[in-house]
Amino acid sequence: MTALHDLPAHELLAAYRQRTLSPVEVTQAVLAHIERWEPHIQATYLLRPEAALQQARASEARWLRGEPQGLLDGVPSTIKENIATEGDPTPLGTAAVELAPAAADAPPAARMRESGAVIVAKTTMPDYGMLSSGLSTFHPLSRNPWDVSKGPGGSSAGGGAAAAAGYGPLHIGTDIGGSLRLPASWCGIFSLKPSLGRIPIDPPYTGRAAGPMTRTVADAALMMQVLSQPDARDSMSLPAQDIAWSQFNKGAERLRGLRIGLLLDAGCGLSVDPEVSAAVQHAARLMESAGAVIVPMQPFMTQAMLDGMDHFWRMRSHTDLQALPAVQRDKVLPYIRTWAESAAGLSGTEVFHASQQFHLTRVAAARACSAFDYVISPVAPNVAFQAELPSPTNDPLRPLEHIGFTVPFNMSEQPAASVNCGYTRAGLPIGLQIAGARFDDLGVLQVSHAFELIRDPQKPWPQPPAR
């Protein structure tokens, strides 16, 4: 029998409807499971059991009246800490931020609360979300449930760890260069970075997206019904659209006849680990056996594009840090400070040329993908690395060498998912990225679910170490 904390959201909702389970007993089970895991992986921020149980009791009363508040009523959930929740401080992962209560829920948090979801906790992130690790000067070091010596990825570090560890079925993260898909890949879960504006977020920023982090495509599709409602606070929010999110399950037949590009070389950054390449090629063969036409792709990113984005973000961060009082600036993670301060000597012309790489990346990605229905690739060239390291290279002057497969789809505004496609010999998960055309978020979910149906059997989810 599946443990309550491992039940997917759609099964929980069916059980609430039939009154075979209550939100209170499910939330209690999730909280007990978190208590067992949390000392080992440190995935949460503002874990408040009594507040979660109070929400669960209110949900239970609504279900007993036959009046659920919304689509997710009573389902345990977490939210990344940089998504504001009313009355709570938003530290952005760094000790340098002065803590002050948020005036209102940001759009993703508001939609979850309106739907009746039980917000169990916020989840951790690194300083300013600028690392693909769980290393933070504010939060304890977050770790990967599959191997606690490894990191969960980032910047949605706690969300990836929480989903893999079974902290309930629904989690929300954010992504500006891979921050949903990287932890999803390294924690063996599913995540969708939607088309820009599909899920409103505040504050909005070029390439920034919020998205679901779940164990299954089905639960992510359920979340999309809630999270994709327009919100005027996001200047890039897409207009209301009647998308049949519940139609994510078209079976393996959804792959038949699709022309799918296979990208095994990002064109920049780190070389792809042989085990990662082998897993992605195996996934391609499975899709081909289901009727897809797999076409090898040439890389479309360049090192100049990646470096340009890196240098522009360095200058942005350098400007932000320079605006801080020295006592606060000194609290920022040294790796981040070294990275940002390296931009001090850049000229205006150099920063301008760096900024142009965002548009060049967008154009290159759109052009390369236009010949295909979908594009598959590794999410990252590597698997989970040591938890204490800020990045795979541990070099602040080569900080983004692992995002060559993910960042172009932030800039091109295309939806891109991470779905587990295998494991290393050491048992670490490997993620397959599935990218679609701009606005084809439902199609990406459908192809991801089709792959779920044909992929190799998955390893059991990790369990907390014995007490």
Side-chain angles (χ1 to χ4, degrees):
M1 182 176 177
T2 304
L4 294 186
H5 61 260
D6 282 334
L7 286 174
H10 56 277
E11 289 189 26
L12 290 177
L13 291 163
Y16 296 163
R17 198 170 292 112
Q18 296 160 7
R19 300 189 181 181
T20 56
L21 285 176
S22 90
V24 173
E25 63 181 311
V26 171
T27 300
Q28 288 172 331
V30 168
L31 289 169
H33 189 65
I34 292 174
E35 185 178 3
R36 291 189 291 272
W37 253 126
E38 191 62 1
H40 306 284
I41 62 173
Q42 303 284 0
T44 66
Y45 168 60
L46 300 181
L47 173 62
R48 294 178 288 208
E50 188 47 48
L53 288 170
Q54 185 177 357
Q55 296 171 63
R57 287 189 285 267
S59 173
E60 180 182 65
R62 291 191 294 269
W63 280 108
L64 289 174
R65 294 196 305 268
E67 299 173 354
Q69 179 172 309
L71 193 62
L72 305 179
D73 205 342
V75 180
S77 311
T78 74
I79 299 173
K80 188 177 178 180
E81 67 104 310
N82 66 342
I83 298 173
T85 46
E86 183 178 0
D88 297 324
T90 309
L92 305 179
T94 179
V97 168
E98 291 187 353
L99 300 182
D105 286 338
R111 300 296 88 79
M112 293 295 282
R113 218 184 292 274
E114 291 161 4
S115 73
V118 173
I119 310 303
V120 173
K122 306 288 288 282
T123 51
T124 61
M125 61 183 283
D127 282 52
Y128 296 108
M130 293 307 300
L131 300 176
S132 294
S133 78
L135 188 61
S136 164
T137 56
F138 182 85
H139 302 294
L141 178 63
S142 298
R143 296 178 179 273
N144 193 319
W146 291 93
D147 179 346
V148 295
S149 74
K150 309 296 185 185
S155 64
S156 303
Y167 288 20
L170 306 182
H171 311 271
I172 307 176
T174 62
D175 188 317
I176 203 170
S179 290
L180 282 163
R181 289 156 289 163
L182 293 166
S185 173
W186 296 332
C187 292
I189 63 168
F190 178 79
S191 186
L192 172 69
K193 181 210 72 69
S195 300
L196 186 71
R198 179 68 71 204
I199 295 177
I201 194 165
D202 182 30
Y205 188 80
T206 302
R208 185 176 189 233
M213 305 182 80
T214 59
R215 288 181 171 185
T216 66
V217 174
D219 277 354
L222 187 65
M223 291 181 77
M224 290 302 295
Q225 295 184 58
V226 169
L227 296 174
S228 61
Q229 303 305 308
D231 193 301
R233 290 175 289 174
D234 185 345
S235 58
M236 294 180 276
S237 174
L238 296 177
Q241 187 177 355
D242 186 15
I243 298 174
W245 298 109
S246 62
Q247 301 301 308
F248 69 91
N249 182 3
K250 292 295 183 180
E253 297 78 18
R254 180 67 172 83
L255 297 169
R256 188 171 300 132
L258 291 181
R259 181 178 169 85
I260 296 178
L262 172 60
L263 182 67
L264 293 173
D265 178 0
C268 58
L270 297 173
S271 299
V272 179
D273 183 283
E275 287 188 283
V276 172
S277 182
V280 171
Q281 291 182 72
H282 178 61
R285 289 192 293 272
L286 291 175
M287 288 183 161
E288 191 170 45
S289 69
V293 178
I294 304 296
V295 182
M297 288 179 68
Q298 294 300 309
F300 56 85
M301 281 283 289
T302 66
Q303 192 66 42
M305 292 175 183
L306 187 64
D307 289 345
M309 289 187 279
D310 174 19
H311 292 161
F312 182 84
W313 281 332
R314 291 187 202 198
M315 180 56 78
R316 184 193 73 170
S317 295
H318 175 60
T319 302
D320 289 343
L321 294 187
Q322 287 301 110
L324 293 176
V327 67
Q328 287 176 255
R329 189 163 59 245
D330 289 344
K331 296 178 181 179
V332 176
L333 192 75
Y335 181 99
I336 296 290
R337 286 192 61 184
T338 301
W339 170 74
E341 289 168 359
S342 70
L346 292 176
S347 69
T349 299
E350 288 172 317
V351 174
F352 170 77
H353 286 307
S355 73
Q356 298 309 294
Q357 300 306 314
F358 291 91
H359 183 67
L360 292 176
T361 298
R362 175 192 182 98
V363 171
R367 182 182 294 130
C369 295
S370 65
F372 305 100
D373 297 307
Y374 299 92
V375 168
I376 60 174
S377 73
V379 172
N382 56 298
V383 294
F385 53 95
Q386 291 304 117
E388 293 79 10
L389 297 182
S391 71
T393 62
N394 194 27
D395 182 351
L397 301 184
R398 295 177 60 235
L400 305 183
E401 299 296 289
H402 56 291
I403 70 169
F405 289 108
T406 52
V407 71
F409 300 116
N410 293 79
M411 300 310 127
S412 65
E413 306 182 16
Q414 295 171 245
S418 174
V419 59
N420 183 254
C421 67
Y423 307 86
T424 66
R425 287 184 295 274
L428 293 174
I430 299 168
L432 174 73
Q433 181 170 246
I434 301 174
R438 190 171 172 221
F439 308 136
D440 187 23
D441 304 74
L442 178 58
V444 170
L445 289 179
Q446 290 171 341
V447 172
S448 298
H449 184 259
F451 179 71
E452 275 187 329
L453 296 175
I454 63 172
R455 68 184 175 184
D456 294 343
Q458 300 292 280
K459 291 182 180 292
W461 292 104
Q463 296 301 312
R467 298 187 183 187

